[in-house]
PDB file of all heavy atoms in Angstrom:
ATOM      1  N   ALA U  59     -17.355  18.494  40.470  1.00 92.00           N
ATOM      2  CA  ALA U  59     -18.678  18.542  41.213  1.00 92.00           C
ATOM      3  C   ALA U  59     -18.581  19.647  42.365  1.00 92.00           C
ATOM      4  O   ALA U  59     -19.396  20.384  42.609  1.00 92.00           O
ATOM      5  CB  ALA U  59     -19.192  17.273  41.681  1.00 92.00           C
ATOM      6  N   GLU U  60     -17.381  19.507  42.977  1.00 91.00           N
ATOM      7  CA  GLU U  60     -17.175  20.422  44.207  1.00 91.00           C
ATOM      8  C   GLU U  60     -17.078  21.809  43.797  1.00 91.00           C
ATOM      9  O   GLU U  60     -17.663  22.721  44.392  1.00 91.00           O
ATOM     10  CB  GLU U  60     -15.974  19.920  44.939  1.00 91.00           C
ATOM     11  CG  GLU U  60     -15.822  20.526  46.387  1.00 91.00           C
ATOM     12  CD  GLU U  60     -15.257  19.495  47.351  1.00 91.00           C
ATOM     13  OE1 GLU U  60     -14.625  18.586  46.940  1.00 91.00           O
ATOM     14  OE2 GLU U  60     -15.545  19.652  48.553  1.00 91.00           O
ATOM     15  N   ALA U  61     -16.318  22.045  42.753  1.00 90.00           N
ATOM     16  CA  ALA U  61     -16.049  23.489  42.259  1.00 90.00           C
ATOM     17  C   ALA U  61     -17.325  24.099  41.753  1.00 90.00           C
ATOM     18  O   ALA U  61     -17.680  25.222  42.112  1.00 90.00           O
ATOM     19  CB  ALA U  61     -15.031  23.430  41.098  1.00 90.00           C
ATOM     20  N   ALA U  62     -18.190  23.282  41.095  1.00 85.00           N
ATOM     21  CA  ALA U  62     -19.367  23.883  40.528  1.00 85.00           C
ATOM     22  C   ALA U  62     -20.647  23.911  41.401  1.00 85.00           C
ATOM     23  O   ALA U  62     -21.473  24.722  41.305  1.00 85.00           O
ATOM     24  CB  ALA U  62     -19.778  23.070  39.210  1.00 85.00           C
ATOM     25  N   HIS U  63     -20.600  22.953  42.332  1.00 84.00           N
ATOM     26  CA  HIS U  63     -21.837  22.702  43.142  1.00 84.00           C
ATOM     27  C   HIS U  63     -21.573  22.572  44.708  1.00 84.00           C
ATOM     28  O   HIS U  63     -22.482  22.490  45.408  1.00 84.00           O
ATOM     29  CB  HIS U  63     -22.586  21.497  42.639  1.00 84.00           C
ATOM     30  CG  HIS U  63     -22.848  21.480  41.169  1.00 84.00           C
ATOM     31  ND1 HIS U  63     -23.923  22.202  40.633  1.00 84.00           N
ATOM     32  CD2 HIS U  63     -22.097  21.073  40.171  1.00 84.00           C
ATOM     33  CE1 HIS U  63     -23.953  22.047  39.323  1.00 84.00           C
ATOM     34  NE2 HIS U  63     -22.847  21.399  38.965  1.00 84.00           N
ATOM     35  N   GLY U  64     -20.249  22.658  45.101  1.00 87.00           N
ATOM     36  CA  GLY U  64     -20.074  22.714  46.493  1.00 87.00           C
ATOM     37  C   GLY U  64     -20.404  21.342  47.134  1.00 87.00           C
ATOM     38  O   GLY U  64     -20.383  21.280  48.366  1.00 87.00           O
ATOM     39  N   ALA U  65     -20.572  20.259  46.437  1.00 84.00           N
ATOM     40  CA  ALA U  65     -20.663  18.894  46.933  1.00 84.00           C
ATOM     41  C   ALA U  65     -19.573  18.036  46.602  1.00 84.00           C
ATOM     42  O   ALA U  65     -19.057  18.105  45.537  1.00 84.00           O
ATOM     43  CB  ALA U  65     -22.019  18.357  46.367  1.00 84.00           C
ATOM     44  N   GLY U  66     -19.125  17.138  47.631  1.00 87.00           N
ATOM     45  CA  GLY U  66     -18.016  16.376  47.413  1.00 87.00           C
ATOM     46  C   GLY U  66     -18.145  14.935  47.816  1.00 87.00           C
ATOM     47  O   GLY U  66     -19.231  14.435  47.963  1.00 87.00           O
ATOM     48  N   GLY U  67     -16.900  14.243  48.004  1.00 89.00           N
ATOM     49  CA  GLY U  67     -16.931  12.853  48.289  1.00 89.00           C
ATOM     50  C   GLY U  67     -17.744  12.445  49.461  1.00 89.00           C
ATOM     51  O   GLY U  67     -18.378  11.369  49.347  1.00 89.00           O
ATOM     52  N   ALA U  68     -17.799  13.330  50.465  1.00 91.00           N
ATOM     53  CA  ALA U  68     -18.507  12.974  51.619  1.00 91.00           C
ATOM     54  C   ALA U  68     -20.061  12.774  51.465  1.00 91.00           C
ATOM     55  O   ALA U  68     -20.850  12.318  52.197  1.00 91.00           O
ATOM     56  CB  ALA U  68     -18.234  13.921  52.877  1.00 91.00           C
ATOM     57  N   ASP U  69     -20.582  13.423  50.318  1.00 93.00           N
ATOM     58  CA  ASP U  69     -22.014  13.350  49.994  1.00 93.00           C
ATOM     59  C   ASP U  69     -22.415  12.087  49.150  1.00 93.00           C
ATOM     60  O   ASP U  69     -23.511  11.915  48.881  1.00 93.00           O
ATOM     61  CB  ASP U  69     -22.380  14.678  49.162  1.00 93.00           C
ATOM     62  CG  ASP U  69     -22.064  15.905  49.971  1.00 93.00           C
ATOM     63  OD1 ASP U  69     -22.520  15.997  51.173  1.00 93.00           O
ATOM     64  OD2 ASP U  69     -21.334  16.800  49.486  1.00 93.00           O
ATOM     65  N   VAL U  70     -21.397  11.372  48.711  1.00 95.00           N
ATOM     66  CA  VAL U  70     -21.708  10.162  47.890  1.00 95.00           C
ATOM     67  C   VAL U  70     -22.468   9.175  48.821  1.00 95.00           C
ATOM     68  O   VAL U  70     -21.928   8.708  49.844  1.00 95.00           O
ATOM     69  CB  VAL U  70     -20.411   9.595  47.341  1.00 95.00           C
ATOM     70  CG1 VAL U  70     -20.657   8.266  46.656  1.00 95.00           C
ATOM     71  CG2 VAL U  70     -19.804  10.653  46.420  1.00 95.00           C
ATOM     72  N   VAL U  71     -23.560   8.627  48.206  1.00 96.00           N
ATOM     73  CA  VAL U  71     -24.316   7.625  48.996  1.00 96.00           C
ATOM     74  C   VAL U  71     -24.189   6.297  48.446  1.00 96.00           C
ATOM     75  O   VAL U  71     -24.507   5.183  49.009  1.00 96.00           O
ATOM     76  CB  VAL U  71     -25.886   8.001  49.055  1.00 96.00           C
ATOM     77  CG1 VAL U  71     -25.994   9.272  49.918  1.00 96.00           C
ATOM     78  CG2 VAL U  71     -26.443   8.198  47.674  1.00 96.00           C
ATOM     79  N   VAL U  72     -23.778   6.196  47.171  1.00 97.00           N
ATOM     80  CA  VAL U  72     -23.474   4.922  46.495  1.00 97.00           C
ATOM     81  C   VAL U  72     -22.436   5.013  45.412  1.00 97.00           C
ATOM     82  O   VAL U  72     -22.289   6.070  44.721  1.00 97.00           O
ATOM     83  CB  VAL U  72     -24.789   4.341  45.977  1.00 97.00           C
ATOM     84  CG1 VAL U  72     -25.300   5.141  44.701  1.00 97.00           C
ATOM     85  CG2 VAL U  72     -24.659   2.852  45.536  1.00 97.00           C
ATOM     86  N   VAL U  73     -21.663   3.949  45.295  1.00 97.00           N
ATOM     87  CA  VAL U  73     -20.634   3.840  44.250  1.00 97.00           C
ATOM     88  C   VAL U  73     -20.967   2.655  43.355  1.00 97.00           C
ATOM     89  O   VAL U  73     -21.092   1.520  43.850  1.00 97.00           O
ATOM     90  CB  VAL U  73     -19.161   3.705  44.723  1.00 97.00           C
ATOM     91  CG1 VAL U  73     -18.200   3.538  43.604  1.00 97.00           C
ATOM     92  CG2 VAL U  73     -18.796   4.818  45.683  1.00 97.00           C
ATOM     93  N   LEU U  74     -21.221   2.957  42.110  1.00 96.00           N
ATOM     94  CA  LEU U  74     -21.526   1.718  41.129  1.00 96.00           C
ATOM     95  C   LEU U  74     -20.395   1.733  40.167  1.00 96.00           C
ATOM     96  O   LEU U  74     -20.023   2.569  39.412  1.00 96.00           O
ATOM     97  CB  LEU U  74     -22.823   2.015  40.481  1.00 96.00           C
ATOM     98  CG  LEU U  74     -23.234   0.746  39.667  1.00 96.00           C
ATOM     99  CD1 LEU U  74     -24.546   0.181  40.081  1.00 96.00           C
ATOM    100  CD2 LEU U  74     -22.994   0.944  38.189  1.00 96.00           C
TER     101      LEU U  74
END
Side-chain angles (χ1 to χ4, degrees):
Chain U
E60 194 142 23
H63 306 274
D69 301 306
V70 173
V71 295
V72 69
V73 177
L74 187 123

